[in-house]
Amino acid sequence: MLRSRLFWKLLLASAALNAVGLLVLGAWVIAQQRQQEIDAAAAELRGVLRLCQSLLIREQAAIGPGDAFRETLPAVASDASEATGDRVVFLDVAERVLADSVITQAADGGGPALERVALVARGAVADARVSGFGLESRRTTAAGVTVLHAAERVDEALPVSVVCVIRELPQLEERVADKRNRLIAVAAMVTLGFAAAAAGLAQLVVRPVQSLRDAADAIASGDYKKRAYVSSDDELGDLARSFNKMREELGSQLTELREGGQRQTTVLGGMIEGVIAVDDRERVLFANTAAGRLFGFIPPQIEGRPLLEVVRLHTLHEAVASALASARPQRLETEWEEAAERRMLLVQVTPLPGDPCPGVVTVLHDTTELRRLESLRSDFVANVSHELKTPLSSIKAYTETLIDGAVNDPEHNMPFLRRIEEQADRLNYLIQDLLALARIESEQQPFEIRPVAVADVIGSCLADYRPRAEGKQIELVAEGPPQPLHAKADAEGLRLIVNNLVDNAIKYTSISGRVAVRWGAGEAGMVKIEVEDTGIGIPAESLPRVFERFFRVDKARSRELGGTGLGLAIVKHLAQAFGGHVDVTSEVGKGTVFSVELPAA
Ligand code: ADP
């Protein structure tokens, strides 16, 4: 409390006011008393003046007017002075001293001393001349004594024109000074007592104010729980109640704001699209994680920096600048290079509401993958059409030739019909492969994932292919561990994988070659199946593409051998569907190894 400035201000101000009030009141009371004393003395002096007048009239009546009367005047003045104790002065019409009870050697016409007396009382004498009576009080500066002058006009006892009575009030100033000192002492004591009471009152005001201040400080530092405790039912109590209500409102609004902000940040953070908000000077206000990933920055670090510094994409800056200038949304699709890779971006720039436009929000959608998929799809459609068209054209050509008469040509009709059958088979394989691929990709094929004995699948597959291998004098071998090994896969799917790989191996291996199917435990709980051949091999530049649909190293040869160009794509998708993967190593002219890894059961 003692450190509160408000407390000291209230205390000192009230004590000072009290002291000043007391002093002013005391000074007024003292002045009143002083005046009362002067008034009492003045009343007495009026009596003295009346006495002097009656003495003069009586003396004139006894002696008669003339010089004799003039000579008796000093004696009259002395008598009157003796009787009253006051100084008595008689003046003539010209204000010359005719007699003075103090200065008796008055010369005719008055000397300097007498003149001084006349001068001193001049105010009272002048009033007496005009109105019949005059009173004047003066303080002698030298002795500090108050002197009272009373003068009265004399009409009957000429040559005396004015009677002047002078009385000193020697104790008056002392009494005034004594009262003043006592007043100061009393005022000091009263002020002290008053200050003690004022301190108590000041506390009543300061405490609630301090409580309000503490609560306001707490709010300023983010603590919305601290209340202002004021129990009084006066204006301060009302203020505290209003304050507490405001605190609750503010607190709940801030919580709502915070939650809203968090929600917004979460939504923006979880977006796949990049979001960058900039102000009217193109300085970054906010950027989400996706935008950071897109342009390689850490979002909080770039806030406040110019967009130009952060994103070096000219078209984006143009769109932002024109959105800011026109306050209209802008949309564009642009290309940009990232780590030597061309990427496509769909940019939507939306101005923030306000006039002038306070900034814009830029939403960036990386459409590279979308575009790639679109081009894959159109390539696929083109490839499928082409693949379907080729056998169909052959079938149509042979059919037309047969219709045109070759049907009756015993030399050609059968070979033509066989060709038609071959092309129909090709169409059939193609459609089957396409359907299989589509089912795997759309994840519609209900795989029955369970432990499958790898040796059994490989064994039955090799049994199927053995006649073909023997036809080409290809040695077909199976190399596996003696203990049974199970893979987690769909039995039909696994069979398709092995069939496709063995089929290719036999297809692309010339006469007297060797095809080996090996299996065993792979790394990290996987089962590894390898199909190795001593065939034509695959050129290094084609290796990354062999799993693409319709990719063939040698199109004519593949077709001739009845390939659809979809076998390896099916293998890859199946392996992935079972949680595994497929790989290839090859050397042209020496052979190829395809290896499939699937989770072990
Ligand atoms: P295809 O039906 O043409 O065999 P695949 O998808 O099975 O289609 O194979 C794609 C291409 O990969 C083949 O056309 C061929 O050029 C090459 N290829 C696949 N397996 C082998 C292999 N064992 N040896 C050499 N080339 C292969």
Side-chain angles (χ1 to χ4, degrees):
M1 184 59 66
L2 293 180
R3 280 197 283 164
S4 162
R5 281 199 285 174
L6 179 63
F7 172 78
W8 284 110
K9 272 184 188 167
L10 285 171
L11 181 63
L12 293 178
S14 51
L17 273 175
N18 168 68
V20 168
L22 280 177
L23 289 174
V24 168
L25 183 69
W28 181 76
V29 169
I30 289 168
Q32 288 293 312
Q33 284 187 354
R34 188 173 185 273
Q35 193 56 46
Q36 272 175 13
E37 282 199 37
I38 288 171
D39 289 349
E44 282 178 25
L45 288 183
R46 281 199 110 145
V48 174
L49 285 170
R50 248 172 270 126
L51 174 74
C52 290
Q53 284 239 39
S54 56
L55 281 173
L56 282 171
I57 291 164
R58 204 173 59 200
E59 200 63 29
Q60 193 187 35
I63 301 170
D67 287 344
F69 175 59
R70 185 184 275 263
E71 278 162 20
T72 59
L73 288 176
V76 173
S78 295
D79 288 350
S81 175
E82 247 171 61
T84 60
D86 298 316
R87 181 178 177 182
V88 177
V89 181
F90 297 143
L91 301 168
D92 66 6
V93 178
E95 289 183 19
R96 283 176 304 193
V97 175
L98 296 171
D100 185 337
S101 62
V102 173
I103 304 164
T104 47
Q105 71 275 32
D108 190 38
L114 296 176
E115 268 186 2
R116 199 180 72 231
V117 171
L119 278 171
V120 163
R122 182 162 287 168
V125 171
D127 286 349
R129 277 194 185 292
V130 176
S131 61
F133 179 74
L135 185 72
E136 190 180 358
S137 92
R138 290 206 177 185
R139 274 245 306 268
T140 55
T141 44
V145 174
T146 299
V147 182
L148 210 56
H149 303 258
E152 200 168 39
R153 198 170 60 211
V154 179
D155 296 325
E156 293 93 346
L158 291 169
V160 179
S161 172
V162 172
V163 179
C164 185
V165 185
I166 299 165
R167 180 185 285 184
E168 286 188 357
L169 303 171
Q171 260 83 53
L172 179 67
E173 295 309 322
E174 272 174 36
R175 279 198 300 277
V176 168
D178 181 48
K179 277 184 183 154
R180 192 187 300 125
N181 291 341
R182 275 192 285 164
L183 168 77
I184 289 169
V186 169
M189 272 162 29
V190 171
T191 301
L192 271 178
F194 187 85
L201 283 171
Q203 276 189 22
L204 286 179
V205 176
V206 171
R207 264 212 198 100
V209 173
Q210 277 182 333
S211 175
L212 277 165
R213 185 202 55 195
D214 291 348
D217 282 351
I219 287 176
S221 59
D223 175 12
Y224 284 82
K225 293 201 176 77
K226 194 165 173 74
R227 290 174 59 84
Y229 293 100
V230 181
S231 52
S232 57
D233 55 358
D234 53 12
E235 283 84 350
L236 278 171
D238 290 346
L239 178 64
R241 279 184 283 282
S242 303
F243 184 88
N244 286 333
K245 211 168 146 196
M246 181 191 78
R247 174 192 64 84
E248 275 162 29
E249 291 276 320
L250 267 177
S252 62
Q253 277 179 12
L254 196 87
T255 311
E256 264 175 42
L257 265 176
R258 271 202 198 123
E259 282 172 3
Q262 274 165 2
R263 263 199 302 273
Q264 218 171 40
T265 313
T266 313
V267 169
L268 288 169
M271 276 174 73
I272 300 166
E273 289 88 0
V275 177
I276 303 175
V278 296
D279 65 8
D280 55 340
R281 291 187 301 149
E282 291 189 36
R283 287 181 182 277
V284 178
L285 296 170
F286 169 84
N288 71 350
T289 325
R293 262 200 309 271
L294 216 53
F295 297 110
F297 57 70
I298 298 165
Q301 287 179 2
I302 56 129
E303 278 169 20
R305 279 174 55 193
L307 181 67
L308 206 65
E309 256 180 38
V310 182
V311 182
R312 298 186 188 280
L313 190 58
H314 182 63
T315 43
L316 175 70
H317 292 291
E318 278 184 349
V320 167
S322 69
L324 278 171
S326 65
R328 278 167 192 226
Q330 308 286 319
R331 190 185 172 89
L332 75 146
E333 188 149 25
T334 183
E335 275 186 10
W336 118 101
E337 214 144 293
E338 189 209 18
E341 193 191 338
R342 281 169 88 79
R343 299 195 74 86
M344 295 296 295
L345 264 190
L346 184 66
V347 182
Q348 172 77 38
V349 187
T350 311
L352 293 169
D355 189 23
C357 180
V360 297
V361 176
T362 310
V363 179
L364 307 136
H365 191 185
D366 187 350
T367 53
T368 316
E369 188 59 19
L370 204 71
R371 290 272 171 270
R372 195 183 68 80
L373 289 174
E374 266 174 19
S375 100
L376 270 183
R377 198 175 51 219
S378 60
D379 285 356
F380 180 71
V381 170
N383 278 328
V384 169
S385 314
H386 180 73
E387 294 296 330
L388 290 173
K389 227 167 100 186
T390 315
L392 272 175
S393 306
S394 298
I395 291 170
K396 195 166 166 38
Y398 287 125
T399 317
E400 274 170 5
T401 316
L402 285 169
I403 289 169
D404 286 348
V407 70
N408 297 318
D409 178 354
E411 199 183 325
H412 290 106
N413 56 4
M414 279 316 282
F416 281 9
L417 284 171
R418 245 173 252 123
R419 289 278 158 79
I420 289 172
E421 191 189 19
E422 269 170 31
Q423 296 302 326
D425 283 347
R426 211 177 129 195
L427 268 179
N428 188 32
Y429 295 144
L430 189 69
I431 287 164
Q432 272 178 9
D433 279 1
L434 276 172
L435 284 173
L437 201 59
R439 272 201 298 266
I440 300 163
E441 275 198 324
S442 68
E443 291 169 6
Q444 278 175 356
Q445 180 150 347
F447 290 120
E448 204 184 316
I449 307 282
R450 58 183 171 81
V452 181
V454 178
D456 292 355
V457 173
I458 291 172
S460 92
C461 166
L462 292 189
D464 289 349
Y465 278 91
R466 201 162 294 283
R468 254 183 75 190
E470 278 167 4
K472 278 180 91 179
Q473 292 159 22
I474 289 172
E475 187 191 354
L476 195 56
V477 291
E479 298 168 4
Q483 71 275 16
L485 202 64
H486 291 86
K488 252 197 272 177
D490 174 78
E492 261 322 296
L494 183 58
R495 193 182 311 279
L496 206 53
I497 289 175
V498 180
N499 275 0
N500 272 323
L501 293 178
V502 172
D503 183 70
N504 277 352
I506 295 172
K507 245 185 343 193
Y508 300 107
T509 301
S510 44
I511 294 172
S512 308
R514 185 176 192 270
V515 172
V517 182
R518 282 190 291 272
W519 68 97
E523 278 175 25
M526 304 292 266
V527 171
K528 193 173 189 173
I529 302 167
E530 279 184 346
V531 179
E532 187 183 17
D533 64 57
T534 54
I536 57 172
I538 304 167
E541 68 271 15
S542 298
L543 278 179
R545 299 194 60 195
V546 287
F547 296 104
E548 283 178 18
R549 295 173 193 126
F550 298 116
F551 177 81
R552 293 144 169 143
V553 177
D554 183 342
K555 269 196 167 98
R557 186 170 191 166
S558 159
R559 278 206 195 105
E560 199 185 299
L561 296 169
T564 59
L566 294 172
L568 288 180
I570 291 172
V571 169
K572 182 181 130 185
H573 282 96
L574 279 171
Q576 285 175 349
F578 301 154
H581 58 90
V582 58
D583 219 342
V584 59
T585 54
S586 183
E587 209 174 319
V588 177
K590 287 204 168 168
T592 307
V593 182
F594 280 94
S595 54
V596 181
E597 280 199 324
L598 298 174

